[in-house]
Amino acid sequence: MPDDFDFIHQFIPGSSDRTLLLLHGTGGDENDLIPLGRELAPTAALLSPRGKVLENGYPRFFRRLAEGVFDLEDLKQRTDELADFVVAAAKHYHFDARQVVAVGYSNGANVAASVLLRRPGVLPSAILLRAMVPFIPKELPNLNGVRIWIGGGTNDTIIPRANTEHLVQMLTAAGAEVTARFFDAGHALTNTELVQVKRWLVALTL
Ligand code: MLT
């Protein structure tokens, strides 16, 4: 197996062309978001890696120095590893890389945002649930044609609304088509939000 393929992960084949890349939050693993993925897109294939970093035993996709303060060197390396993994997985499992939709929650949403900013071309679409700016690129990438849905909680104490709005602004300036919604919620997701995500996903053509 190639080196790019060394994430512990689940792959569940689907019956449509679409693949959801499921990226869990801190303390989650490759099993966490499978039910959410099935609910959001019942016929899609699901690719769900486990973050390789451990923080007090809790898996994450990259290191942080404190809550909301990221280890940028580690983030860079982990972002590349994840991007390479997605490319390698498409070859290995024979799914269409142009039909991948990342679905990230919290730390998973932040690493997906980092892949969008650092490795444009890998993710044609993403759903970022409770995301913040992962890093500020020197130059914005070209994200023309990339479709992104972002959901924030107005009472989220971990991810301030202004930070999510900054991310929305950056991705929009890079050319992505961004739909951003804020809900009367905290860090946890709500049913109202998931109904909206599902509707967006059904209408999404890539
Ligand atoms: C992060 O570290 O990515 C964010 O603070 C979200 C979290 O995982 O708590």
Side-chain angles (χ1 to χ4, degrees):
M1 218 167 248
D3 283 353
D4 294 343
F5 215 59
D6 65 351
F7 276 83
I8 294 169
H9 66 278
Q10 277 220 49
F11 179 76
I12 302 174
S15 57
S16 71
D17 292 339
R18 188 144 292 169
T19 297
L20 300 190
L21 169 66
L22 302 173
L23 301 167
H24 63 79
T26 300
D29 67 19
E30 68 280 13
N31 302 309
D32 260 36
L33 297 186
I34 300 287
L36 175 67
R38 263 291 149 266
E39 166 63 27
L40 291 178
T43 60
L46 305 176
L47 175 66
S48 187
R50 183 194 300 182
K52 290 185 192 177
V53 166
L54 284 181
E55 183 185 83
N56 303 320
Y58 294 113
R60 285 176 53 83
F61 285 96
F62 56 88
R63 282 198 183 87
R64 64 180 164 183
L65 307 173
E67 197 169 278
V69 184
F70 302 148
D71 176 336
L72 295 182
E73 264 316 301
D74 187 67
L75 174 62
K76 203 188 279 182
Q77 181 198 327
R78 303 294 175 187
T79 299
D80 282 339
E81 284 176 3
L82 182 63
D84 293 342
F85 168 73
V86 175
V87 173
K91 287 201 191 100
H92 183 84
Y93 292 119
H94 306 289
F95 63 77
D96 184 350
R98 294 163 306 181
Q99 289 293 332
V100 171
V101 182
V103 180
Y105 169 65
S106 190
N107 181 243
N110 294 341
V111 80
S114 186
V115 173
L116 287 165
L117 293 168
R118 183 169 160 79
R119 295 285 298 273
V122 172
L123 296 178
S125 181
I127 294 167
L128 308 178
L129 306 163
R130 306 296 182 273
M132 60 196 283
V133 174
F135 71 99
I136 305 209
K138 284 198 185 86
E139 263 179 54
L140 282 178
N142 181 349
L143 294 178
N144 280 331
V146 175
R147 319 275 171 73
I148 301 170
W149 195 96
I150 296 186
T154 49
N155 310 312
D156 190 340
T157 50
I158 297 174
I159 300 195
R161 178 175 182 153
N163 197 317
T164 304
E165 280 170 346
H166 186 189
L167 178 64
V168 171
Q169 196 186 37
M170 268 169 53
L171 295 170
T172 306
E177 206 179 284
V178 183
T179 303
R181 299 279 181 269
F182 287 87
F183 298 88
D184 182 15
H187 199 58
L189 304 176
T190 65
N191 273 338
T192 319
E193 175 170 7
L194 295 178
V195 167
Q196 289 199 27
V197 173
K198 192 167 177 176
R199 215 175 285 148
W200 182 84
L201 202 47
V202 167
L204 177 70
T205 47
L206 291 172

